[in-house]
Amino acid sequence: MSSLSGETAVHGTVVSRSCRVADVSYRAFLAGGDAPRIHWADPDGLELSGTGAAAAVTASGDGRFGEVRAWATQLFEDADHDGPAVARPRLLGGFAFHDDHEPEGTWAGFPAARFVLPEVQLSSSGDETWLTVTRAGENVDPVDVEAALDSARDDVESLPAMQPSGPRPGVQSTTPATDEAAWHEQVQHAVDRIAAGDLQKVVLANALSAELSGDVNPRDLLERLRQSYPSCFRFLVAPNGSAAFLGATPELLVTLRGSGVETTALAGSVGRGDTPEADAELAARLRDSEKLRHEQRLVTDAIVDQLAAFGDVTVGERTVRKLSNIQHLNTPITADVGDDTHVLDVAEALHPTPAVGGLPPDAALDVIRETESFDRGWYAAPVGWFDGDGEGTFAVGLRSAVATDRTVTMFAGNGIVADSDPGEEYEEVQLKYRPILDELE
C-alpha cells in the first residue's frame, strides 16, 4: 500500500528567476534561510543549497518512487525558468531504505520519501554561483518572483565568501546499537543462512550513538567532511530546526544525463596503510582476495542485470578507489537508455544494490529486517536531486549520520558472505564510522 502527500499544491505554474552572484559560504546561506535546508555537492564540482519550500512532497509504500515522479511531472508541466541550466529549479531529497519506514525517533521528520523544491536555491559549478528564487501555485506573477529575487540577492551579497568551520564539539561517550557479542551472533546467523543455500550475501549494519561535549553544528560538520573527503558526494538534509541527516559517501547510485546512465559497483574494502609500502600491500591484498573479488562480482553482476532492462550496458575496468581511511574495489558501469527514462526509474530499479542489501534481494531484506536492532531510516538509501526533465544524480547515503543538539548517530555496514569472520567484520564496521567520528573528536 502506498500514500502520497503534496505539502504544497501542484496545480498552477512553477515560476523561477535566476541571477549570478558572488561566491558565498553555503553554510552562511543555509543558516540565514528558512527550513527545510538542504545541501548537495558532487565530485564534479556541482554544489546546490536550498532553503524554504516552494513545493514539497512525501510518499510511502512500494509505489513511492513512481508517485514522486508523477507528482513532479505535474509540478513541472508548465514551468517557467529564466536563467542558465546550472541554476534551474530542482527537487532535492531522498528515500528511506525500507518502503514502510515511519518517521519517528532518531528519524523524526524523515518519511519514506521526501523531496523539496527550494524557495531559494544557490547553485555553483566551476567559478560561477547563481541564485534562483522559485514560486509554485495558482496565479504566480513573474513580477513578484523577480522582486523576491532582488530581495534575496541583497541578502546573499551580504554573506561572507568563507566561514570558519568552528571547533570540534568533542565526544564524551559512544554506544553501539548492537554490541560486539550480539553482532557476532548476527553475522553467524547470516553465514548459517548462506550455508543453507537460500542466501548469497547480506549487508548487516550497525549504529553508533555519540554523546558530545558541546552542541554539534551539522553545517560545520559537513564542511569538515568536505575538507577531508573532497572526492565524495556530500549531502545535508535538515527538514526542520532539530535533526539533520548528513554524510560524505563514496558511492554513486545513478546519474542520468540525456540518454546516458552512470553508476558504479563499490564493494570489498580494506584500510589504508601508514606508509606508501603498507598502503600498496593492503591494496594488493584487496585486489587478490577471492572473498572480496567475489563480493564485488556479485554487486557488479546484479547492477548489470538491473540496468539491462533500460538499454545497452557497458562494464568498465575494476580498480581500487582510495579514500583517506579506507580503499574499495570499484567498477564503473554505464548504460544507454531511452529518452523517456527518468532518473527515479533507474534509482528504483537499483535500490537497494547488493552493496547495501544483498542477494537474492528479497531474502537479504528478510534477514536485515529480522536481524538488525535499529531503524536504518535514510541510511544506505538514495539521496540526491532531479529536475523537470527527469535528469539527476543520486548517491547512496553511506558514511552518514543524524545530528541533533549534543547527539550524533552514525551508521555503517558490511557485506556478509559465506566465509565472513564475525570479528573481522566488526572491526571493518568500526573503520566506517571514522569519517564522521574523526570530525567530532
Side-chain angles (χ1 to χ4, degrees):
M1 182 176 181
S2 300
S3 65
L4 177 77
S5 173
E7 299 173 28
T8 305
V10 297
H11 301 292
T13 304
V14 169
V15 178
S16 61
R17 295 291 183 265
S18 303
C19 66
R20 190 170 176 182
V21 294
D23 191 25
V24 299
S25 164
Y26 74 84
R27 287 175 293 136
F29 170 78
L30 292 176
D34 296 330
R37 301 178 181 91
I38 301 179
H39 184 75
W40 166 269
D42 65 37
D44 294 331
L46 174 67
E47 292 203 30
L48 304 169
S49 298
T51 63
V57 63
T58 62
S60 63
D62 56 9
R64 57 190 170 142
F65 285 85
E67 289 173 350
V68 170
R69 174 183 175 173
W71 180 89
T73 298
Q74 184 181 358
L75 176 71
F76 285 121
E77 186 175 11
D78 297 313
D80 172 13
H81 173 231
D82 184 7
V86 68
R88 67 193 184 274
R90 314 175 200 228
L91 284 159
L92 296 94
F95 297 87
F97 186 85
H98 296 293
D99 57 23
D100 59 353
H101 162 77
E102 293 294 335
E104 56 192 18
T106 298
W107 293 102
F110 294 88
R114 186 170 194 261
F115 285 84
V116 171
L117 177 67
E119 286 185 342
V120 185
Q121 176 182 288
L122 200 64
S123 313
S124 64
S125 181
D127 60 355
E128 293 188 359
T129 300
W130 290 83
L131 180 69
T132 300
V133 169
T134 300
R135 297 289 184 268
E138 297 281 1
N139 303 316
V140 177
D141 189 339
V143 174
D144 293 338
V145 179
E146 290 164 6
L149 177 63
D150 288 339
S151 176
R153 177 172 51 195
D154 291 341
D155 292 339
V156 166
E157 288 182 344
S158 69
L159 299 174
M162 299 181 65
Q163 190 176 49
S165 58
R168 290 169 170 80
V171 176
Q172 285 189 336
S173 62
T174 59
T175 305
T178 303
D179 64 24
E180 186 169 3
W183 169 267
H184 283 213
E185 293 177 1
Q186 291 179 356
V187 173
Q188 189 58 53
H189 170 68
V191 170
D192 292 343
R193 286 286 299 270
I194 294 169
D198 62 341
L199 189 68
Q200 290 177 274
K201 171 190 174 179
V202 64
V203 178
L204 294 182
N206 203 348
L208 184 71
S209 178
E211 296 301 321
L212 308 179
S213 301
D215 288 345
V216 62
N217 184 322
R219 297 179 298 277
D220 288 350
L221 177 55
L222 187 68
E223 171 62 16
R224 288 194 287 271
L225 289 171
R226 181 194 68 80
Q227 296 171 12
S228 298
Y229 300 92
S231 64
C232 287
F233 298 90
R234 301 176 302 281
F235 58 88
L236 182 148
V237 181
N240 47 49
S242 55
F245 177 55
L246 61 97
T249 174
E251 187 161 348
L252 170 68
L253 180 65
V254 58
T255 286
L256 174 62
R257 298 187 188 95
S259 61
V261 164
E262 299 175 16
T263 186
T264 184
L266 193 73
S269 56
V270 297
R272 298 296 305 272
D274 294 331
T275 66
E277 294 77 14
D279 198 58
E281 182 179 341
L282 286 168
R285 187 187 309 171
L286 179 63
R287 286 190 296 266
D288 296 340
S289 167
E290 178 54 36
K291 170 187 177 293
L292 298 179
R293 292 204 311 269
H294 171 67
E295 180 182 347
Q296 222 264 345
R297 280 196 302 270
L298 291 177
V299 174
T300 301
D301 292 347
I303 291 174
V304 169
D305 289 344
Q306 291 159 336
L307 284 182
F310 295 95
D312 296 330
V313 181
T314 301
V315 179
E317 181 181 355
R318 183 172 61 199
T319 60
V320 173
R321 183 173 179 189
K322 295 177 180 288
L323 302 175
S324 65
N325 72 325
I326 199 168
Q327 42 193 333
H328 303 275
L329 290 174
N330 177 79
T331 301
I333 303 169
T334 60
D336 291 325
V337 301
D339 292 338
D340 61 343
T341 301
H342 195 289
V343 68
L344 289 180
D345 299 336
V346 186
E348 180 178 21
L350 293 177
H351 174 71
T353 71
V356 295
L359 287 170
D362 290 343
L365 287 175
D366 287 343
V367 172
I368 289 170
R369 288 181 181 278
E370 71 190 25
T371 304
E372 291 181 355
S373 59
F374 71 100
D375 181 4
R376 284 195 179 194
W378 283 30
Y379 163 70
V383 58
W385 65 268
F386 67 96
D387 63 16
D389 293 328
E391 298 186 357
T393 296
F394 284 87
V396 182
L398 305 176
R399 312 298 191 270
S400 56
V402 173
T404 176
D405 298 328
R406 294 195 171 194
T407 302
V408 173
T409 303
M410 295 156 280
F411 306 92
N414 229 27
I416 309 303
V417 292
D419 57 350
S420 289
D421 176 83
E424 292 178 358
E425 302 294 347
Y426 188 80
E427 290 304 315
E428 188 167 330
V429 167
Q430 309 314 302
L431 186 64
K432 292 176 179 177
Y433 293 134
R434 296 312 312 182
I436 305 289
L437 201 56
D438 287 347
E439 306 305 333
L440 297 172
E441 292 177 331

